[in-house]
Amino acid sequence: MFAARTHANLTQQWLAEAAGMDRSDYQRIEYGIVSPRLDTLLTLADALGVPLSELVREDDDRPEVPGSGS
């Protein structure tokens, strides 16, 4: 999801608002802390203008969770 969002040059805040969610909830999805429901993924894909398959593919560019020290 990170790659699709950054490729579209969008902020987490913009995407979260476009999908009707809080930025903190979106961050937990992007960082892989929580797994989103299918309806949430569909909403995010629509907001990004990409097919669902692009969001669910392996994303090696996922950002590190802030403060995780990894």
Side-chain angles (χ1 to χ4, degrees):
M1 197 165 320
F2 172 76
R5 181 182 62 77
T6 57
H7 180 73
N9 205 25
L10 300 173
T11 64
Q12 289 180 341
Q13 184 68 41
W14 186 95
L15 183 54
E17 288 177 8
M21 60 191 333
D22 292 329
R23 180 174 172 239
S24 60
D25 292 335
Y26 173 77
Q27 283 179 318
R28 287 192 286 274
I29 293 169
E30 186 171 286
Y31 295 142
I33 297 168
V34 298
S35 296
R37 294 174 15 168
L38 179 58
D39 60 330
T40 301
L41 285 171
L42 290 168
T43 301
L44 289 167
D46 285 345
L48 284 165
V50 299
L52 179 60
S53 61
E54 188 167 325
L55 292 188
V56 296
R57 67 178 168 77
E58 186 77 24
D59 191 354
D60 294 333
D61 295 331
R62 181 183 300 157
E64 181 179 313
V65 176
S68 70
S70 299

